[in-house]
Amino acid sequence: MPVIAVPGWPRVRPGPYPGHRAAAPGLPCNGRELRGAGVVTGGSLLSGRNGGHAAGFEHELIEQMCAVSGLDAPGGRDLLIDMLAGRLPELANVRRHSRKRHDILEIFQACWRKPSGLSVLADTLQEYDPGSIPVLRIVELVSASPVLAVLPEAEIRRARSLLSRLPHPDPQGLLYAAAGDLPLPARPVATLQEAFDFLADANARPDGLLPVLVLVEHAIAAGAASGADRQVVDGLRSWNDEQGTRLDLVEPLETLRSQITRGVAEPAPACLVVQLSKHGMSPDEYLLSHWRQRRPGSWRPERGEDQIVALGEVEAAVEQLVESVEEDWGEHPGRPVLEFVLPLQLLNHPVEWLPMASHSSSATALCLDFPVALRSLERMRARRYHRRWRNRWQQMTAGPRILCHWDTTGERGHDPVRWNSTLAADERLVSVALNAPPLTGPEGRQETLEAALRAGVPLAVWDRRPAPPGDFRKRVDKLLKGTAAELPERVRQLRTEAATAAAAQRDAHSGRHLAVLLDNPNRMVDWSEHPASEPGSVRGGHNDEGTS
């Protein structure tokens, strides 16, 4: 069956961010005065260090509110206040006057003082008088408004000083996690201080949190996980708590802290995820689905159009997808990653060696350009194992090293019950190394991998050859030495060594045959409504008859 054509992908280019504008006349250029506790939401980023609203913002917004149909009557203003109080209960106590303009001034000032108040006001007015010219103008004003100066200079200096004492191997990753939809800097940041400075003029998120507070929260979690200076970590936590209390952001800050603790808010790289699942009656027919994460940041992959392919057509389909998504990735430097979500029966296929530019004499393998990882389709769909999976992922990402549970199948004295029990009882064991491929090796290897997946192990490695080489354990020990964050790049380097070795040594190199299943539970893509009850039982998003 021929590959179903993939339609051309539209380029998504965000329009100009309205917060990029000059400072208002008469405002200090550093924009660091404390002006109440108001924050304008909307995700804009100032192009300099210009604080405060553009001249006339308050005046025009109030004038437009006065022009909204219905607000000239006391009952209309009562209705607006009731609607606002549904989202901001404090506004139920807004002081009332007998004159329209005075009431509107009170409503505006009450919203101004709340971190997300102006956005709530704009949203509520869209419900109150949808499509009217004054309301459309209010929405435009609020969404285009630059950030207010909410952090005093002394607090800025204090945070920067603490961050300078907290070394981190990936400040760019923390910037991505905190930036959300903000435009990214043209050049990567080298320190947490630079990341802080870049975000210092950013508007609040929809939940009211300033991106600098989000950055500091990620830095706190990273510092605590890496064993950084306790005084520095505690100092940053106190700083964030103080800002959250002062800006009335305690609840969203606690929510963010919980998300980071669970790993949900961890930064994700630009990524292409390719999934193969069994389709139809033919044993060689698969549904190829894919998702693309267009830029680093929070995990928000976009699903593309599915294809029905035979195994022999996967190579061409993947090459076409990579060429397409490179159009999006080309706007920023960095190293995107490729992930293959595969059923058990396909995990031994060397997908990392699929070629790019396959019709050219200069064809190269995927793994030379991208870190490539395998993922388990069955476990992604088996929610009953996700708690253990998340627990071990958290253990792995927080630890200074990766503890491995070595397969003993086929060895003298092998006790499968003891091996499985040890793995289940010790969540510090976050990886397994199989001493034969899970499908083509001696009986028991597939069961070993399935047991590891059920236990929530996020990392599994094996050599795809029938018997591993003598230096297999040494190679794996070297690969697992260091943090989990660095593992994908270490794997890529090993495969690069294999690809660039002398011709006589190339095929024998361990990097040419090493399979790495690195499965992040916080990067879910498969929303199948047919979750498996056991790893190994699900064959895809469609059943054998091809119906969903």
Side-chain angles (χ1 to χ4, degrees):
M1 175 178 290
V3 179
I4 294 178
V6 178
W9 284 84
R11 295 285 297 279
V12 176
R13 293 180 180 276
Y17 281 80
H20 290 230
R21 58 177 71 182
L27 288 175
C29 64
N30 65 5
R32 291 296 176 216
E33 294 73 24
L34 176 64
R35 187 176 181 180
V39 179
V40 175
T41 65
S44 301
L45 186 70
L46 294 177
S47 56
R49 301 188 72 79
N50 306 317
H53 278 300
F57 168 84
E58 301 166 49
H59 174 77
E60 184 175 359
L61 194 146
I62 291 168
E63 290 298 322
Q64 295 295 338
M65 286 184 68
C66 288
V68 172
S69 176
L71 293 185
D72 53 343
R77 299 194 291 276
D78 290 341
L79 175 59
L80 177 62
I81 290 171
D82 288 344
M83 293 174 69
L84 288 167
R87 293 179 61 182
L88 298 173
E90 300 90 337
L91 267 70
N93 301 317
V94 168
R95 188 168 57 174
R96 303 302 306 278
H97 303 270
S98 59
R99 298 179 61 183
K100 174 180 74 171
R101 189 175 186 86
H102 289 176
D103 279 351
I104 286 177
L105 281 169
E106 290 286 357
I107 294 170
F108 171 79
Q109 290 294 337
C111 291
W112 173 280
R113 288 189 291 267
K114 300 299 295 179
S116 58
L118 291 183
S119 285
V120 171
L121 175 62
D123 291 344
T124 305
L125 284 170
Q126 288 186 86
E127 297 177 16
Y128 182 92
D129 190 15
S132 72
I133 292 176
V135 170
L136 292 176
R137 179 58 181 151
I138 289 168
V139 171
E140 180 184 356
L141 286 168
V142 171
S143 64
S145 173
V147 67
L148 292 177
V150 296
L151 297 178
E153 187 64 39
E155 293 300 323
I156 296 291
R157 289 197 299 268
R158 179 180 160 205
R160 294 184 82 258
S161 175
L162 287 166
L163 289 171
S164 70
R165 297 159 54 195
L166 186 71
H168 191 272
D170 187 21
Q172 185 81 350
L174 296 193
L175 170 62
Y176 289 150
D181 289 325
L182 293 174
L184 301 175
R187 291 182 295 180
V189 298
T191 66
L192 290 177
Q193 286 177 297
E194 289 183 20
F196 185 94
D197 290 343
F198 179 79
L199 295 174
D201 292 309
N203 285 355
R205 307 185 328 170
D207 60 2
L209 286 176
L210 290 173
V212 285
L213 271 64
V214 181
L215 176 73
V216 170
E217 200 60 45
H218 279 284
I220 291 167
S226 64
D229 188 324
R230 181 67 177 269
Q231 283 189 321
V232 174
V233 174
D234 289 346
L236 285 169
R237 185 176 289 108
S238 295
W239 185 90
N240 240 20
D241 287 342
E242 290 169 19
Q243 310 315 311
T245 300
R246 184 169 62 82
L247 299 175
D248 193 19
L249 296 171
V250 172
E251 185 175 339
L253 189 61
E254 288 178 349
T255 299
L256 173 68
R257 190 167 289 169
S258 175
Q259 290 174 339
I260 292 175
T261 300
R262 300 196 312 270
V264 175
E266 68 183 28
C271 184
L272 173 65
V273 182
V274 177
Q275 175 181 287
L276 289 171
S277 55
K278 189 71 184 67
H279 179 86
M281 298 297 293
S282 170
D284 192 41
E285 189 171 84
Y286 287 85
L287 182 73
L288 188 153
S289 306
H290 75 279
W291 293 258
R292 56 178 66 190
Q293 171 91 347
R294 296 180 184 272
R295 54 172 270 175
S298 56
W299 183 241
R300 287 180 293 186
E302 303 169 17
R303 183 165 186 164
E305 185 171 333
D306 291 345
Q307 306 176 51
I308 299 171
V309 299
L311 276 181
E313 298 165 336
V314 169
E315 176 181 312
V318 170
E319 183 176 1
Q320 185 179 11
L321 289 174
V322 172
E323 289 175 349
S324 173
V325 76
E326 281 283 18
E327 291 289 323
D328 298 317
W329 295 339
E331 297 192 8
H332 296 286
R335 190 179 295 284
V337 303
L338 264 58
E339 298 180 345
F340 287 85
V341 182
L342 303 177
L344 276 167
Q345 67 267 24
L346 295 185
L347 282 175
N348 214 42
H349 285 250
V351 290
E352 68 272 14
W353 293 98
L354 292 177
M356 289 298 298
S358 58
H359 301 296
S360 166
S361 59
S362 58
T364 57
L366 283 176
C367 60
L368 300 184
D369 277 337
F370 309 99
V372 180
L374 304 174
R375 303 184 64 182
S376 168
L377 174 66
E378 286 84 0
R379 181 166 61 185
M380 187 173 292
R381 294 178 172 178
R383 294 181 183 176
R384 64 189 297 180
Y385 305 119
H386 287 193
R387 177 186 59 82
R388 305 169 199 168
W389 185 14
R390 294 183 188 280
N391 287 349
R392 295 209 194 229
W393 180 264
Q394 188 171 327
Q395 284 275 352
M396 187 173 77
T397 54
R401 60 196 181 100
I402 300 172
L403 292 181
C404 184
H405 193 42
W406 283 86
D407 180 17
T408 58
T409 305
E411 297 180 4
R412 179 179 297 177
H414 170 64
D415 183 344
V417 173
R418 182 182 183 188
W419 191 92
N420 290 337
S421 298
T422 300
L423 180 62
D426 191 350
E427 286 192 338
R428 296 173 302 169
L429 297 172
V430 295
S431 68
V432 296
L434 308 181
N435 55 22
L439 302 179
T440 60
E443 185 177 354
R445 296 315 193 278
Q446 179 166 329
E447 287 77 2
T448 300
L449 180 58
E450 289 176 349
L453 294 175
R454 285 193 295 269
V457 172
L459 173 62
V461 295
W462 64 90
D463 193 292
R464 289 193 173 98
R465 290 169 287 190
D471 65 346
F472 176 66
R473 183 155 191 153
K474 180 180 178 182
R475 286 282 191 181
V476 173
D477 283 339
K478 183 178 179 181
L479 201 65
L480 302 186
K481 187 177 182 181
T483 66
E486 300 162 340
L487 178 64
E489 187 59 25
R490 292 198 297 271
V491 173
R492 193 187 72 84
Q493 290 175 356
L494 180 63
R495 289 168 174 164
T496 299
E497 288 178 16
T500 58
Q505 304 168 350
R506 198 172 301 151
D507 192 56
H509 195 286
S510 293
R512 183 66 180 82
H513 305 279
L514 186 72
V516 179
L517 184 144
L518 181 60
D519 208 353
N520 186 338
N522 301 316
R523 294 189 199 162
M524 291 293 183
V525 294
D526 183 68
W527 306 111
S528 170
E529 295 183 359
H530 305 280
S533 58
E534 295 288 337
S537 66
V538 166
R539 284 169 288 188
H542 295 54
N543 64 22
D544 282 349
E545 286 71 44
T547 58
S548 56

